[in-house]
Amino acid sequence: MPAPALSVKDLALSSGGRQLVHPLTFSVAAGERVALLGASGSGKSLTASALAGSLPEGISAGGTITFGAGPGKGRAALIRQDPATALNPLVPVGRQLAIPLRSAGYSRSAAKAEAARLLERAGIGDPSLFLPRYTGQLSGGQLQRVCIALALACGAPVLVADEPTTALDAVTQNTVLETLRMWSTEGRSLLFITHDLAAAASICTRALVMEAGRIVEQAPMADLLRNPCHPYTVRLVQAASGAMEPLAAARSTDGSGARSATAAAAA
């Protein structure tokens, strides 16, 4: 079998002797879209930062993170919850997109053309108009799509999207979700981190449920929605029951694989 695009084994995070994330073990296959679900404070964002190699100062990490066939750091592109913090407000969007492209060997003109193509792929209409703009001239949804384009420009095989639809209106949220769904083309993988089960169900085929720094349940998304096992998962599904349309769509999604409801590790 091919190696997973992302493999995490016994990832543990702590600060000042306090355990924030208990040992986590999971994997994401090439081209797979997996949701990491949980409320604020469950450890989702810290896990995202660890996968992207950008943990805050003072956080200690243990365990192994492997991308593809070998270990490494920083081989996942990260979309942060607040996209403005990931972009430089003093540098035009086009120049920021060009940085990883130029590093990959693109000429100046080719990088500009590719940046425009990536913006369009991320859902930005008339991308040539956005290249000279600064982040302060963009809406929240536009900033998210620029961050997705930047992730594409980095060429990373894995995208970790940390609450990318928070505070977006419904129309913009749907556009961003469609762009994230598109990420899995060409064998790329997505780890979609969110507290919004309805949003996750609309694009992901498998889910990991996190509570108090532990993975308490994991299953194909359709199974999770039909028959949640852990009490916390039951509450998540009940809370999302009003969003019937995305949940119904998820139930018809192909969620192949055996069901598992288990903690990733003991305390």
Side-chain angles (χ1 to χ4, degrees):
M1 294 180 62
L6 168 65
S7 180
V8 177
K9 184 174 182 179
D10 296 330
L11 174 64
L13 305 173
S14 60
S15 177
R18 179 188 172 206
Q19 196 78 20
L20 302 175
V21 173
H22 298 265
L24 306 179
T25 296
F26 64 91
S27 63
V28 179
E32 189 178 21
R33 299 188 300 272
V34 177
L36 180 59
L37 297 162
S40 297
S42 62
K44 306 187 310 297
S45 291
L46 276 179
T47 301
S49 295
L51 297 178
S54 59
L55 279 171
E57 187 175 351
I59 302 295
S60 301
T64 304
I65 300 171
T66 305
F67 293 91
K73 286 187 175 181
R75 294 183 58 189
L78 174 64
I79 298 178
R80 297 186 182 276
Q81 184 171 346
D82 180 5
T85 63
L87 299 169
N88 189 330
L90 303 178
V91 179
V93 165
R95 191 177 302 171
Q96 294 189 60
L97 289 170
I99 291 172
L101 296 172
R102 294 280 284 157
S103 297
Y106 284 78
S107 68
R108 189 180 302 275
S109 60
K112 182 177 180 179
E114 179 66 4
R117 188 187 74 85
L118 292 175
L119 283 175
E120 184 174 20
R121 187 177 175 191
I124 294 288
D126 296 323
S128 61
L129 299 178
F130 281 80
L131 294 176
R133 292 184 183 177
Y134 293 85
T135 58
Q137 299 172 294
L138 305 180
S139 69
Q142 289 168 340
L143 288 172
Q144 287 288 25
R145 281 172 271 176
V146 169
C147 285
I148 293 172
L150 185 59
L152 288 167
C154 292
V158 177
L159 174 64
V160 179
D162 184 13
E163 298 280 9
T165 58
T166 298
L168 298 181
D169 62 80
V171 173
T172 303
Q173 181 183 103
N174 287 339
T175 301
V176 169
L177 289 173
E178 180 57 36
T179 303
L180 292 175
R181 184 185 292 107
M182 182 181 62
W183 177 269
S184 63
T185 62
E186 303 171 3
R188 296 176 185 268
S189 305
L190 170 68
L191 184 64
F192 181 50
I193 297 175
T194 185
H195 66 277
D196 187 343
L197 177 56
S202 71
I203 64 170
C204 295
T205 57
R206 188 161 62 90
L208 314 171
V209 180
M210 196 168 185
E211 182 188 29
R214 293 180 174 86
I215 293 177
V216 296
E217 185 168 358
Q218 52 186 308
M221 183 64 79
D223 290 354
L224 191 87
L225 296 174
R226 280 193 298 260
N227 186 31
C229 293
H230 192 273
Y232 179 67
T233 312
V234 172
R235 294 196 297 271
L236 282 178
V237 173
Q238 290 174 343
S241 60
M244 295 304 295
E245 184 174 342
L247 290 177
R251 290 189 181 99
S252 65
T253 300
D254 176 19
S256 58
R259 176 169 176 78
S260 169
T262 179

